[in-house]
Structure formats: C-alpha cells, structure tokens
Amino acid sequence: IQVANEVLQHGDELNLLSKYELERMQLADKSGLYKCGIYAFSVGNPDINAWTNQLISALKYANNNNHCVIVHQYSKPPSMWTPDPDWHIHRLEHKVLPLLKGYNNLKFIVSEYGLDDLLYGNGTKGGYKKFISADTYAQQLIDIGKYIYEYSDKVLGYSVFTLGTGSADWVTYDISGEVEGKLANYYSANPVVPKWRNNNMSAYQVRVTANSGLNVRNKPNTTAQIIESIPNNTVVEVTDYNNEWLAYKT
C-alpha cells in the first residue's frame, strides 16, 4: 500500500518522511495484513546522497521485511532515450542501485514512467501526444523495455503514465487506445518474464491441485507430447519458470 506521493523530498524533510515510512512498515507487519510501497519520489528526487543517509533506516527495514520502494521516472520529450538518463528516466538504474548493492532483497517499483514536458522547467504539462505519434511512442516503450529488462531482478515493474484519466491535465499523457493496443499486441506475441519472477520460482515447492492430475510435456506448449502425468496432491520442486510453464526436479 502506498500513502505518500511526491512529498517531503528535500533536506531535513526527508528525516520526517523516513520516520513516517519506517513506522508505517512496522505497523503493517504488526497487522500481518499487507506490505508497503514507500516514498514515491518524483523524477530526479531526492538528492542522490540521501539514499545512503536520511533514507537508510527505512531502506534497511524494507530490505529485511519485504517492503518495496516507489519512484517516478520520466524522459524529456520527444524521446524516451533522453541525453541525461542518469538524472531522469534511468536515475534509479544508473545512480541509485549501485549505491545499494548490499541490499539484496530490496525491490523497487517505477509507478510513473514516460515522457513529460515538465522536465524542461517551463511549468507546462505535456505528454507524448504533444510531440510524437502513438505508433512512435509505442515503439519507444517497446525498445526501452528491452533495455530495462537488465534491471528486472531489482525492479518489479514499470507503469506508464497514464492509462485513462479523469482530468484534462493528463489527456496528452493517456496511452488508452492505439498505444495501449500496440503494447498489448506486442507483449502477447512476445511475453517477458522478469528476472525477479524467475528467481522467485526457482527451487520452490508447489502442490498439484488438479483432480485428474497434471500433464507433463516435453516442451513448454500445449501441443507438445505428453510424457507423464503427476497425480493430484503431489508436491514437486520447481527448477525453472518461463511463460507460465514450470520445469521440475524429477
């Protein structure tokens, strides 16, 4: 659950925000009902040194107790391949993650991602529609998705801003329709399994819950030859995972 959003991002304010997020995670764990997404910093925030100073207590707790960190990342239009990625569209990947190498369990979510005219400092809102076609934007998102896959062991996912909007302020950012359709078609034909999901599935034990048993095939598709059937209620050890198919230890 996320509560804070682009608030208390500078100087001593960060100490207050970190104290709040730490106590919120502790309350969540005490309840046993949910986990937290903390911070939700805007693009370019906070100061890079804050990650190893004011934020560190909350980050340590999140790392040890399966909470995650939220950030927002944008590029200057018209391209997702901004000339200054270290401070905007890929600040997390290029600057923050190298500072936190010892935090092996800490995961991130980029809950806002895309093009934003506000990065030019002119105070003018404007998304991709102000600069490029839907087809061009969809292709940019597909291309940059291939690049950020490298970081998918640490980043749980990227959410393009925005799919649908109830405000006229964000109409030029809205990917509903053509962009949405092109992305859906591409990823339906070219599914991507993030590294964190593969890593989590490896060496797991799962139980068969099909009354008639579970078919085992010699290749990961429904037309491949069935080589055996695992009886219902059997526990097997997963050794690999790909596109909704499991490999298991015999």
Side-chain angles (χ1 to χ4, degrees):
I1 293 178
Q2 175 194 343
V3 176
N5 188 66
E6 299 188 357
V7 297
L8 304 176
Q9 301 182 106
H10 308 290
D12 291 340
E13 295 176 341
L14 286 166
N15 293 320
L16 180 61
L17 178 61
S18 290
K19 181 180 179 182
Y20 166 78
E21 294 289 34
L22 178 58
E23 292 183 4
R24 190 166 71 89
M25 287 186 287
Q26 292 169 338
L27 287 171
D29 288 337
K30 185 177 180 180
S31 75
L33 298 176
Y34 61 95
K35 292 293 181 178
C36 298
I38 63 173
Y39 294 132
F41 290 124
S42 63
V43 58
N45 284 302
D47 180 83
I48 202 68
N49 294 322
W51 290 96
T52 52
N53 290 285
Q54 295 101 314
L55 310 184
I56 204 67
S57 294
L59 293 177
K60 285 181 178 177
Y61 188 91
N63 178 73
N64 295 334
N65 294 278
N66 298 315
H67 299 274
C68 67
V69 180
I70 297 174
V71 298
H72 302 160
Q73 301 199 136
Y74 288 93
S75 179
K76 292 178 180 177
S79 175
M80 293 292 287
W81 302 98
T82 181
D84 46 9
D86 290 2
W87 302 106
H88 291 131
I89 193 68
H90 292 139
R91 191 171 189 263
L92 168 64
E93 297 85 352
H94 295 177
K95 290 293 185 180
V96 177
L97 293 183
L99 292 176
L100 302 173
K101 284 185 176 179
Y103 295 81
N104 297 327
N105 296 320
L106 188 60
K107 296 294 187 289
F108 292 79
I109 294 173
V110 180
S111 65
E112 292 187 19
Y113 197 66
L115 293 175
D116 191 355
D117 195 15
L118 287 169
L119 286 180
Y120 284 107
N122 55 19
T124 303
K125 295 184 177 73
Y128 78 92
K129 291 180 181 179
K130 188 176 176 181
F131 300 92
I132 56 177
S133 69
D135 187 67
T136 298
Y137 191 42
Q139 190 58 54
Q140 286 188 14
L141 291 170
I142 290 167
D143 291 342
I144 210 162
K146 296 173 184 176
Y147 173 73
I148 57 180
Y149 179 80
E150 175 185 350
Y151 303 95
S152 64
D153 57 333
K154 301 294 293 183
V155 184
L156 299 180
Y158 297 74
S159 177
V160 179
F161 185 86
T162 175
L163 178 61
T165 177
S167 169
D169 288 345
W170 311 117
V171 168
T172 59
Y173 299 76
D174 189 4
I175 66 169
S176 298
E178 192 173 352
V179 175
E180 173 193 10
K182 288 180 180 297
L183 293 177
N185 290 339
Y186 176 82
Y187 287 110
S188 293
N190 304 276
V192 176
V193 179
K195 293 180 181 179
W196 64 264
R197 192 168 181 184
N198 271 330
N199 292 344
N200 284 349
M201 291 302 298
S202 296
Y204 269 41
Q205 289 188 332
V206 296
R207 185 182 301 275
V208 175
T209 57
N211 290 333
S212 58
L214 183 66
N215 289 334
V216 179
R217 299 179 183 268
N218 62 354
K219 293 181 181 180
N221 64 70
T222 55
T223 60
Q225 178 185 356
I226 297 174
I227 55 178
E228 67 173 307
S229 180
I230 304 174
N232 185 38
N233 211 36
T234 303
V235 175
V236 297
E237 182 176 324
V238 174
T239 59
D240 197 8
Y241 176 87
N242 183 31
N243 286 353
E244 309 299 330
W245 289 85
L246 303 177
Y248 73 100
K249 185 176 181 179
T250 58

